[in-house]
Amino acid sequence: MTQWNDDRRAARVAFVTGAASGIGAAVCRLLAQQGVAIAAADQNEAGLAALQDSLGAGARFLGAVLDVRDEAAQQAFVAQVEATLGAITDVVPCAGLARSAPAEEMTTEQWDLVLDINLRGTFLTCKAAAAVMLPRGRGSIVCLASVTARGGQPGRANYAASKWGLVGLVKSLATEWGHRGVRVNAVAPNGVDTPMLNVGVPAAFRDGVMLDRTPLGRFAQVEEIAQGIAYLLSDAASYVTGTVLDIDGGLTAGYLTHRHGADYALHQR
């Protein structure tokens, strides 16, 4: 098992995209509590300022307004992080979005935007960070997949394709970079209690379908997803790479489930 000395633990630096809200912000808060320096990127400048305030005066923090589709901007931020905070050890590409529409009505703009942010943007983040981590022979990357990477979903062909592609990306990078000291994994959440879920998903589908078929009977809190990410980043997961960790309240544990997994047929006898 890989053991990191105290100096290496203290020197951890995390590069997180989509950091201004939701899961990304929760990851930043949790890692900062563990003494990790935070390099946060997002397109929401006000959100980054609020995140920095939430971390407290003692946190080591560097923020940047950044579009993950911009390869040069990502490379420049990585260089700035290394010069300001030190060597990047942890990477969490959280930037992502959804644009729902029936497949036959989905515009090429809707398709391209989701694939560019969710998949291409994640790849560019991994690539920019790998340029400095691979020569050092150490590092851990945790990407944000989804239960939608386990099956299709009506109205979200672009989102499903991006998350299926992301799983393929994670497994490919894990096979390429593992022997060079960099681990690559992903988490796959179910619905998470965020504005994206509560505003962006119709209530009838959110509560009548997603929640109904989740055995734990509730959606995740962002802190619960962050805990899974923190585990995969840590040396407690030093022999884990190429894995997609489902954090889904049991949603993908079975099929034809109803009422939080209760045996509907038996109840109707």
Side-chain angles (χ1 to χ4, degrees):
M1 178 176 177
T2 303
Q3 295 292 335
W4 290 3
N5 60 35
D6 289 340
D7 289 340
R8 184 169 173 181
R9 290 175 191 274
R12 285 177 63 190
V13 176
F15 172 24
V16 183
T17 69
S21 62
I23 295 170
V27 168
C28 291
R29 290 192 295 268
L30 178 58
L31 294 181
Q33 290 170 8
Q34 299 174 356
V36 180
I38 304 300
D42 201 289
Q43 290 187 291
N44 182 349
E45 185 173 10
L48 287 172
L51 170 66
Q52 183 175 12
D53 289 343
S54 74
L55 300 183
R60 298 173 61 220
F61 178 90
L62 179 66
V65 177
L66 184 150
D67 186 334
V68 294
R69 295 169 293 182
D70 187 335
E71 183 172 12
Q74 295 228 47
Q75 293 169 342
F77 185 54
V78 164
Q80 183 184 9
V81 172
E82 296 251 321
T84 304
L85 298 178
I88 294 171
T89 56
D90 305 280
V91 181
V92 188
C94 279
L97 51 73
R99 292 292 185 271
S100 301
E104 71 275 15
E105 299 174 9
M106 186 174 290
T107 66
T108 54
E109 290 79 9
Q110 288 173 314
W111 176 271
D112 290 344
L113 178 63
V114 172
L115 269 291
D116 280 353
I117 296 289
N118 294 4
L119 185 54
R120 182 174 180 269
T122 294
F123 169 67
L124 292 178
T125 299
C126 294
K127 181 182 176 183
V132 294
M133 293 194 298
L134 288 172
R136 291 192 287 263
R138 64 185 178 99
S140 180
I141 300 171
V142 181
C143 299
L144 196 63
S146 166
V147 291
T148 309
R150 303 300 195 189
Q153 187 176 350
R156 302 186 97 189
N158 49 4
Y159 187 80
S162 74
K163 296 302 184 179
W164 278 78
L166 190 145
V167 170
L169 173 65
V170 163
K171 291 184 178 293
S172 296
L173 296 182
T175 60
E176 286 194 40
W177 295 346
H179 71 285
R180 300 170 69 184
V182 175
R183 296 185 298 107
V184 186
N185 293 287
V187 295
N190 182 12
V192 182
D193 188 12
T194 64
M196 180 181 290
L197 175 73
N198 296 323
V199 175
V201 178
F205 181 78
R206 184 186 67 230
D207 301 331
V209 178
M210 294 175 67
L211 192 59
D212 178 77
R213 285 159 175 75
T214 300
L216 290 187
R218 62 177 178 84
F219 294 122
Q221 299 298 308
V222 290
E223 292 79 11
E224 293 174 303
I225 309 303
Q227 290 282 0
I229 292 171
Y231 160 69
L232 290 172
L233 289 172
S234 76
D235 58 341
S238 59
Y239 199 61
V240 181
T241 196
T243 290
V244 180
L245 175 63
D246 293 322
I247 310 178
D248 65 0
L251 179 70
T252 59
Y255 302 94
L256 301 177
T257 59
H258 186 51
R259 294 183 181 173
H260 312 311
D263 192 328
Y264 185 72
L266 287 179
H267 288 172
Q268 295 302 305
R269 288 182 178 178

